[in-house]
Amino acid sequence: MNQPLKAKLVAMLEVVYPELDCDFLSEQLLTTMGLPPNQEPPPAHQNNWDESDIVLITYADTVQQPEEKPLVTLHRFLGDCLADSISSVHILPFFPYSSDDGFSVMDYLAVNESHGSWEDIERIARDYKLMADLVINHMSARSRWFENFRKRVEPGKDYFFEGNPRDDLSAVVRPRTSPLLNPVQTDDGERYVWCTFSEDQVDLNFANPEVLIEFVGIIRQYLERGIILFRLDAVAFLWKEPGTPCIHLQQTHELIKIMRLLIEHHSPDAVIITETNVPNRENLTYFGNANEAHVIYNFSLPPLLINTLVTGDCKHLKTWLMSMPPAQLGTTYLNFIASHDGIGMRPTDGLLTDEEKQRLINTMDSFGGKVSYRRTADGRDQPYEINIALYDALQGTAESGTDHWQLQRFICAHTVMLALEGIPAFYIHSLLASRNDLERVEHTGRLRSINRSQWQLDDLEHKLEDPLSHHSKAFHKLKRLIAIRRKQPAFHPNATQFTLHLGLQLFGFWRQSMRRDQSIFCIHNISDDVQLVALSDINLIGTDHWQDLISGMKIDDLSGSITLKPYQSVWLANREVTV
């Protein structure tokens, strides 16, 4: 047996399962993962990404064609419209499910027949780096495992976490207002199962090592199907202990380390991404010491950037950016400003005041948005997320309401995201500039449906080919920005970043390539007024030749200034890498 690997694994397992024979458990896990006895560790601090990496986030059935499986349609749409723009595709849960648009999984090892087949998934994986969700915290109440839990037979008998209504659960952190414990009739009486998210999503019991072994087997099968990016859904809630907040517990962090250790020894190019929609300081802990997540979602970016653009004031965004530690080599951030979920409000804790949060909520409400709530330990309901399509979220300002700068504001938001340290991720409805889908909300009864529209391919292609449609304008402008970004070494996800101080209406930062041969000054007018930028304020090196990568404008007089229209951005570079 590979003693160094096994020794690391045993040490981690002993933190989680101190009462068990962790030597034997480690052998079970290594066998399940199919790791050979002489498996060598991967190179330390290896970046499995570069400046060309762009992620697309989509449901399997967002784009549809009559008489065709959606995964087939999606693959063709990607090839026809986005093959030159993206490197990775995150297909949101494509498994059989009972609720929550896929996040209540019934069978982890099957593809939803209405979407397509494993062969369709594998074809996409051959053309793009494929990300899939490991919905690891909970499983459908209609799954076979849960049916076995009710019948008290294996596999499943002890796979789900049980609670006691008499326990003190007041400290438990909740992302929802639904009951935490739900009574279930089983063949040996009534039991209370723990449901962090909904009655149909029953939390798994990782205190039972058989659950960990099951998931290691699932991970191996995903790897063998071509999946190399693993999004650990809701992983912060994985370990429960009554009397604690039941979030971010040490056992959870150790379980992530265990999964990373096994995954990276199996496939050195594989990546773990943790989905932890929590306040910024808590989120950062999931890097560990560069031994937990390779990548963490930058959850504070969406609400702070949207707040910046609707207020015309970048103070909070700039303060947050200055506080963000540079990611160690082998780790990085996933930058996004829209997703299949809403705009999280918890990540603004400690960053926006209650009054500022309420103003943002009121503004989004006036733009057609909705608000989802969570229940706090003292029984109060607090805003958890704002549900709104990004294009509509940026249709105006908090002060003046809707205006004629919507498209420019929308493009500005993405220009910021594309330039920041980390890997950019585009939700498909942002690339397509989809609008609020209020009809879908009414149909499903779920607020998150507002940003989960489904397109018929013919209609979508017509919109994208129509130069007068806002969909076409946004799509082609974003594709051009992506093409520029993917060629610039200074936009490597781990390249140096420093925040510029240019006042409250100009948000700026400097990126420098890892070889220090390219610098890009990224400056964004985040207001609806014209702004003047004195070039002396950004210290352009006089011996270099500078130009804006976006407009092509050359800078001849370094003592002069440049004028930025409302929501205009410039990427001032000393070395152009052409596209």
Side-chain angles (χ1 to χ4, degrees):
M1 187 61 66
N2 184 331
Q3 290 305 313
L5 170 57
K6 182 178 177 182
K8 287 181 181 179
L9 188 55
V10 168
M12 295 172 184
L13 289 168
E14 286 175 343
V15 176
V16 184
Y17 305 108
E19 306 299 323
L20 298 182
D21 179 354
C22 292
D23 188 83
F24 177 64
L25 178 55
S26 70
E27 292 177 0
Q28 289 180 288
L29 292 171
L30 291 171
T31 300
T32 301
M33 199 65 174
L35 294 176
N38 59 349
Q39 178 68 45
E40 291 294 321
H45 306 295
Q46 173 177 283
N47 290 327
N48 289 326
W49 46 77
D50 61 26
E51 59 271 17
S52 68
D53 276 289
I54 304 286
V55 179
L56 176 74
I57 306 166
T58 182
Y59 280 101
D61 59 352
T62 295
V63 183
Q64 302 180 7
Q65 181 88 320
E67 308 303 321
E68 185 173 72
K69 295 293 186 180
L71 282 168
V72 176
T73 307
L74 173 64
H75 193 193
R76 188 168 68 257
F77 173 73
L78 297 176
D80 291 346
C81 298
L82 289 171
D84 59 345
S85 299
I86 63 171
S87 60
S88 308
V89 182
H90 173 198
I91 304 179
L92 292 155
F94 48 79
F95 318 105
Y97 70 95
S98 55
S99 64
D100 197 19
D101 286 345
F103 285 92
S104 187
V105 178
M106 297 173 65
D107 184 349
Y108 293 101
L109 297 178
V111 174
N112 189 330
E113 290 184 2
S114 66
H115 295 337
S117 65
W118 275 118
E119 288 71 26
D120 298 322
I121 292 292
E122 290 170 358
R123 276 189 281 271
I124 294 174
R126 285 195 287 269
D127 291 339
Y128 308 91
K129 299 176 186 177
L130 183 58
M131 185 193 307
D133 290 272
L134 197 63
V135 185
I136 197 167
N137 178 72
H138 49 262
M139 194 177 188
S140 169
R142 291 173 52 193
S143 64
R144 181 175 66 91
W145 284 359
F146 196 68
E147 285 301 312
N148 287 349
F149 172 85
R150 290 176 180 271
K151 296 174 182 176
R152 315 307 297 149
V153 299
E154 300 291 0
K157 177 176 177 288
D158 297 307
Y159 280 17
F160 295 90
F161 194 85
E162 298 181 41
N164 188 328
R166 292 187 295 274
D167 286 341
D168 180 7
L169 304 177
S170 60
V172 175
V173 173
R174 297 295 316 286
R176 299 287 186 272
T177 58
S178 55
L180 177 61
L181 300 182
N182 283 287
V184 174
Q185 292 299 324
T186 74
D187 284 0
D188 59 6
E190 185 177 67
R191 292 172 179 265
Y192 285 84
V193 292
W194 191 286
C195 300
T196 297
F197 290 89
S198 78
E199 187 175 357
D200 186 49
Q201 294 166 300
V202 187
D203 285 39
L204 291 152
N205 178 24
F206 274 85
N208 177 0
E210 291 298 323
V211 175
L212 176 59
I213 293 170
E214 290 273 16
F215 271 92
V216 169
I218 292 165
I219 289 168
R220 180 182 176 184
Q221 294 203 44
Y222 288 3
L223 287 165
E224 291 173 353
R225 294 288 191 178
I227 294 164
I228 61 168
L229 307 177
F230 291 83
R231 178 184 183 269
L232 304 189
D233 178 65
V235 70
F237 302 97
L238 206 61
W239 195 270
K240 288 89 176 168
E241 287 185 2
T244 76
C246 298
I247 187 172
H248 311 316
L249 298 187
Q250 183 59 39
Q251 294 91 335
T252 292
H253 287 280
E254 292 298 324
L255 286 165
I256 295 170
K257 292 176 190 176
I258 289 166
M259 286 182 277
R260 171 166 173 164
L261 186 70
L262 295 170
I263 287 171
E264 68 184 5
H265 276 76
H266 184 286
S267 300
D269 59 343
V271 171
I272 284 180
I273 303 167
T274 49
E275 188 266 331
T276 48
N277 188 1
V278 295
N280 195 52
R281 287 182 180 273
E282 299 171 29
N283 190 33
L284 289 169
T285 65
Y286 285 86
F287 277 141
N289 186 23
N291 60 351
E292 292 187 36
H294 296 89
V295 181
I296 64 172
Y297 280 80
N298 233 341
F299 272 106
S300 296
L301 178 61
L304 288 180
L305 182 52
I306 292 168
N307 184 71
T308 293
L309 288 164
V310 300
T311 62
D313 184 334
C314 69
K315 178 179 69 174
H316 295 306
L317 184 63
K318 186 167 71 170
T319 300
W320 165 76
L321 192 66
M322 288 189 294
S323 73
M324 292 295 284
Q328 296 183 52
L329 292 180
T331 68
T332 194
Y333 299 100
L334 190 76
N335 294 322
F336 72 108
I337 44 178
S339 73
H340 61 289
D341 291 338
I343 302 163
M345 295 304 292
R346 283 207 74 211
T348 65
D349 289 355
L351 301 173
L352 298 179
T353 67
D354 289 343
E355 292 76 15
E356 288 166 333
K357 291 179 189 178
Q358 191 58 52
R359 188 185 191 197
L360 178 60
I361 288 169
N362 292 344
T363 303
M364 296 299 100
D365 178 72
S366 71
F367 295 161
K370 310 292 182 182
V371 181
S372 299
Y373 291 84
R374 68 182 181 93
R375 185 147 296 157
T376 61
D378 58 6
R380 293 182 299 118
D381 289 349
Q382 289 289 324
Y384 179 69
E385 66 180 19
I386 301 170
N387 304 110
I388 192 169
L390 183 64
Y391 190 73
D392 279 327
L394 296 171
Q395 65 185 265
T397 66
E399 182 176 352
S400 303
T402 301
D403 59 23
H404 61 282
W405 297 111
Q406 183 174 15
L407 179 61
Q408 291 86 345
R409 198 178 285 114
F410 181 77
I411 298 300
C412 180
H414 287 94
T415 310
V416 171
M417 181 190 78
L418 280 165
L420 285 170
E421 175 189 351
I423 301 170
F426 286 83
Y427 183 42
I428 191 169
H429 287 300
S430 294
L431 269 180
L432 303 177
S434 299
R435 306 295 299 264
N436 289 335
D437 194 338
L438 298 175
E439 183 178 337
R440 190 169 177 83
V441 172
E442 185 175 351
H443 175 71
T444 65
R446 296 189 299 272
L447 298 183
R448 284 179 168 176
S449 296
I450 199 169
N451 199 24
R452 297 180 179 180
S453 298
Q454 294 177 323
W455 283 94
Q456 291 300 312
L457 182 59
D458 290 346
D459 184 35
L460 176 58
E461 289 176 338
H462 174 73
K463 291 285 198 303
L464 296 181
E465 290 166 2
D466 179 2
L468 298 180
S469 81
H470 78 271
H471 303 285
S472 177
K473 293 175 183 177
F475 185 70
H476 292 291
K477 286 178 182 290
L478 292 176
K479 278 175 61 72
R480 180 174 179 271
L481 288 170
I482 290 169
I484 296 170
R485 179 242 154 69
R486 298 186 77 189
K487 296 291 186 179
Q488 314 307 321
F491 285 150
H492 186 286
N494 293 92
T496 298
Q497 176 175 284
F498 283 107
T499 309
L500 303 177
H501 298 279
L502 302 171
L504 298 180
Q505 282 72 53
L506 291 168
F507 178 59
F509 47 92
W510 170 63
R511 302 296 308 278
Q512 185 183 54
S513 62
M514 298 171 79
R515 294 177 55 184
R516 300 189 177 186
D517 58 347
Q518 186 188 41
S519 287
I520 303 178
F521 288 85
C522 308
I523 304 172
H524 316 268
N525 179 1
I526 51 84
S527 76
D528 55 7
D529 292 320
V530 172
Q531 300 292 328
L532 201 65
V533 183
L535 295 175
S536 58
D537 289 343
I538 54 177
N539 299 318
L540 302 181
I541 296 173
T543 56
D544 288 342
H545 298 285
W546 297 88
Q547 74 174 70
D548 174 25
L549 297 176
I550 299 174
S551 68
M553 173 187 65
K554 296 186 183 300
I555 304 295
D556 297 317
D557 181 7
L558 298 188
S559 64
S561 61
I562 56 175
T563 301
L564 295 186
K565 299 174 183 177
Y567 306 107
Q568 183 182 352
S569 300
V570 291
W571 288 343
L572 302 179
N574 66 337
R575 184 169 74 87
E576 178 184 15
V577 180
T578 56
V579 299

